[in-house]
Amino acid sequence: MTRPRWKDEAEKNGVRVEAIVRPRAKRDVIQGEESELHEILINLVYNALDAMPDGGRITLSTENVRDRVVVSVSDTGKGMTPQDRDRAFEPFFTTKGSRGSGLGLSMVYAIVKRYGG
């Protein structure tokens, strides 16, 4: 679902983004609403892309931790200041200016908390 942005759009703009998927979890099924899980991953991938305007690597991985599946999204982007990290999940907080609504990470946070993450 995110490929057009991280692959096609990036290449058109002369930017190379490498996407790595590491499915290490032993379970085939994750409980949750499919649309919410999609929304989480799409928002995290898009945020990763925004943090890497000159390209880089996005890694999606899953692993088992005790009785749960942990899903991680990481990137080689510029990162956040400690002050921005402290506010990242606040509704309407954005570092993207007019390009962002500040709702993506707050929505991700709310869904993840509801699932016990």
Side-chain angles (χ1 to χ4, degrees):
M1 295 176 78
T2 60
R3 184 182 178 98
R5 184 158 170 209
W6 66 259
K7 178 83 169 134
D8 305 335
E9 186 178 320
E11 286 179 357
K12 184 176 78 178
N13 294 322
V15 174
R16 178 161 157 44
V17 175
E18 179 183 13
I20 298 170
V21 178
R22 294 188 173 129
R24 297 179 177 149
K26 303 293 187 239
R27 293 183 179 171
D28 292 1
V29 177
I30 298 174
Q31 288 182 324
E33 291 292 324
E34 184 176 352
S35 62
E36 290 181 326
L37 297 172
H38 281 170
E39 196 66 32
I40 289 169
L41 292 172
I42 289 168
N43 269 287
L44 293 177
V45 168
Y46 283 174
N47 273 292
L49 289 169
D50 289 340
M52 303 184 312
D54 298 321
R57 182 183 328 102
I58 300 172
T59 304
L60 286 84
S61 62
T62 63
E63 63 182 320
N64 292 103
V65 176
R66 293 184 275 294
D67 64 337
R68 294 181 176 227
V69 173
V70 174
V71 179
S72 299
V73 178
S74 61
D75 63 69
T76 58
K78 59 187 175 186
M80 294 178 154
T81 66
Q83 297 83 7
D84 288 344
R85 265 195 316 272
D86 289 343
R87 299 190 61 203
F89 300 120
E90 291 178 18
F92 305 108
F93 175 76
T94 183
T95 60
K96 301 175 190 176
S98 62
R99 292 183 308 113
S101 67
L103 293 175
L105 287 180
S106 65
M107 189 244 3
V108 166
Y109 180 77
I111 294 170
V112 169
K113 290 303 280 183
R114 201 170 63 245
Y115 287 151

